[in-house]
């Protein structure tokens, strides 16, 4: 019997044929399975290497001077999860990172320093810590700095997802887009209003800078006046104001406040997520599929990844604010998003 099968496998292998019954269980497991591992990058460990990168190469030569946060299980793949890319980018005073555009969508979350800027289709967005900035797919974008200090931000992109579709490509520009005054997009779409004759269909948000002070103030008010969620604390998602949906089709982003003394309950979700710590301190407990729980202690500017379907819970004694992003909009569009809250 076994030899009949072995002979069958051996004889058909040259025709590139494989028996499904040998792999079926791995293809459709009883719960979501990921090769990704939880990981934490302490800012104090990482920052010296960014500064060394600043001495080793200019922003212009690098095009984008970024250290990629690679999932320990996906080394060499420029991936923090199977679908997401994350990196920390440094721009020094006076530097320019030239304009380009690509099919990948990108988000920025500002970690350190003020006074650098991103331009999106020619409109400048000046960066301040905690600001959330997007560059929708195929929009021209570049960076520059009029700061007197290094400016560092988190880049989140859908690079691995577009690689899966073999749909990632870019165009570089010699001429930059004609400059447009800063703040016009926000004036049009950022205050719960929109131009009367606006006809946009809204794949990506027309607002591309979400200043931290506004988002933070919302969380502060919610903390004062509303009940705390036992899993999330106080958690808001960034929206495309034209649709109410995610800021970009492939990337969802969130800001949450864990109040002082928070001891959260455990949850798991199909969308693996990358977190950037803005304020405070705490711990994230992540349980691997084999049942082992690891506590990762985080402080300001640390980054960590919770892989798909790993049970996670948050604790914070002094309180904390966390930014995060994931590919949740894609899961939702495909009706495959699942969440369990224990
Ligand atoms: C990119 O365009 C940026 O514009 C950052 O800052 C990181 C990683 C891969 C491909 C394009 C940026 C990127 C990127």
């Amino acid at each position: 019997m076994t030899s009949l099968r072995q002979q069958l496998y051996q004889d058909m292998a040259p025709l590139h044929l494989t028996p499904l019954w040998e792999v079926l269980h791995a293809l459709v497991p009883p719960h979501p399975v990921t090769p990704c591992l939880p990981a934490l990058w302490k800012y104090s460990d990482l920052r010296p290497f960014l500064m060394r990168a600043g001495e080793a190469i200019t922003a212009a030569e690098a095009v984008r001077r970024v250290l990629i946060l690679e999932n320990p299980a996906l080394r060499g793949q420029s991936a923090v999860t199977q679908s997401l890319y994350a990196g920390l980018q440094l721009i020094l005073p006076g530097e320019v990172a030239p304009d380009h555009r690509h099919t990948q969508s990108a988000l920025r979350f500002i970690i350190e320093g003020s006074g650098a800027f991103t331009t999106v289709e020619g409109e400048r967005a000046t960066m301040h810590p905690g600001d959330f900035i997007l560059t929708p797919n195929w929009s021209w974008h570049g960076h520059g700095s009029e700061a007197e200090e290094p400016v560092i931000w988190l880049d989140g992109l859908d690079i691995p997802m577009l690689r899966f579709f073999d749909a990632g490509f870019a165009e570089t520009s010699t001429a930059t887009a004609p400059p447009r005054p800063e703040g016009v997009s926000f004036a049009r779409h950022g205050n719960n209003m929109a131009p009367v004759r606006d006809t946009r269909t809204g794949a990506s948000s027309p607002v591309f800078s979400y200043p931290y002070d506004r988002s933070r103030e919302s969380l502060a008010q919610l903390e004062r006046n509303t009940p705390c969620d036992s899993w999330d604390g106080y958690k808001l998602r960034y929206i495309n104001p034209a649709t109410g949906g995610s800021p970009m089709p492939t990337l969802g982003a969130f800001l949450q406040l864990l109040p002082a003394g928070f001891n959260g309950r455990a949850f798991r979700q199909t969308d693996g997520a990358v977190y950037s710590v803005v304020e405070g301190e705490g711990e994230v407990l992540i349980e691997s599929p084999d049942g082992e729980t690891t506590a990762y202690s985080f402080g300001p500017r640390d980054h960590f990844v919770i892989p798909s379907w790993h049970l996670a819970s948050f604790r914070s004694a002094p309180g904390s604010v966390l930014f995060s992003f994931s590919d949740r909009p894609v899961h939702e569009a495909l009706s495959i998003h699942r969440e369990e809250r224990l």
Side-chain angles (χ1 to χ4, degrees), residues 243-328:
T243 63
S246 60
M248 293 177 288
T250 52
L251 298 170
F254 311 88
L255 193 71
Q256 77 194 96
L257 183 151
L258 311 176
F262 187 71
N263 189 358
R265 300 172 69 172
F267 62 91
R268 57 184 164 192
Q269 303 180 322
T270 47
D271 55 324
V274 178
Y275 287 77
S276 179
V277 183
V278 196
E279 297 177 31
E281 273 153 25
E283 284 187 314
V284 57
L285 289 89
I286 307 178
E287 186 184 317
S288 62
D290 60 19
E292 202 175 308
T293 299
T294 308
Y296 299 87
S297 295
F298 57 75
R301 298 169 173 165
D302 293 344
H303 293 82
F304 58 89
V305 55
I306 304 178
S308 171
W309 214 244
H310 282 51
L311 269 177
S313 56
F314 294 113
R315 285 189 204 146
S316 177
S320 182
V321 177
L322 306 174
F323 169 83
S324 60
F325 74 92
S326 81
D327 57 356
R328 190 177 309 179

Side-chain angles (χ1 to χ4, degrees), residues 55-78:
E55 290 167 14
I57 192 164
T58 64
E61 194 186 348
V63 181
R64 300 293 187 258
R65 190 203 285 117
V66 182
L67 298 185
I68 304 173
L69 307 182
E70 284 194 329
N71 192 285
L74 303 175
R75 295 287 283 151
Q77 296 183 40
S78 305

Side-chain angles (χ1 to χ4, degrees), residues 123-258:
E123 184 177 331
R124 212 178 247 214
T126 301
M127 298 174 169
H128 312 278
D131 290 354
F132 169 62
I133 294 174
L134 33 127
T135 56
N137 66 54
W138 213 243
S139 59
W140 288 106
H141 60 279
H143 318 298
S145 179
E146 292 171 353
E148 281 161 14
E149 56 189 351
V151 176
I152 295 166
W153 63 86
L154 169 70
D155 287 315
L157 289 92
D158 52 13
I159 298 263
M161 194 190 308
L162 268 74
R163 182 197 293 150
F164 176 80
F165 292 121
D166 291 333
F169 62 100
E171 207 170 72
T172 51
S173 156
T174 40
T176 49
R180 295 185 291 139
E182 177 154 9
V184 169
S185 297
F186 199 92
R188 286 203 180 107
H189 297 277
N191 289 313
N192 295 316
M193 303 183 88
V196 179
R197 269 168 277 279
D198 186 36
T199 54
R200 76 183 55 245
T201 49
S204 290
S205 173
V207 174
F208 56 83
S209 177
Y210 299 70
Y212 186 63
D213 51 1
R214 295 182 182 232
S215 313
R216 184 66 181 84
E217 174 53 27
S218 289
L219 291 175
Q221 268 215 36
L222 293 176
E223 184 186 14
R224 284 195 298 273
N225 298 311
T226 67
C228 180
D229 182 86
S230 301
W231 293 266
D232 293 337
Y234 301 88
K235 187 170 184 177
L236 295 172
R237 62 187 176 91
Y238 293 91
I239 63 162
N240 171 348
T243 63
S246 60
M248 293 177 288
T250 52
L251 298 170
F254 311 88
L255 193 71
Q256 77 194 96
L257 183 151
L258 311 176

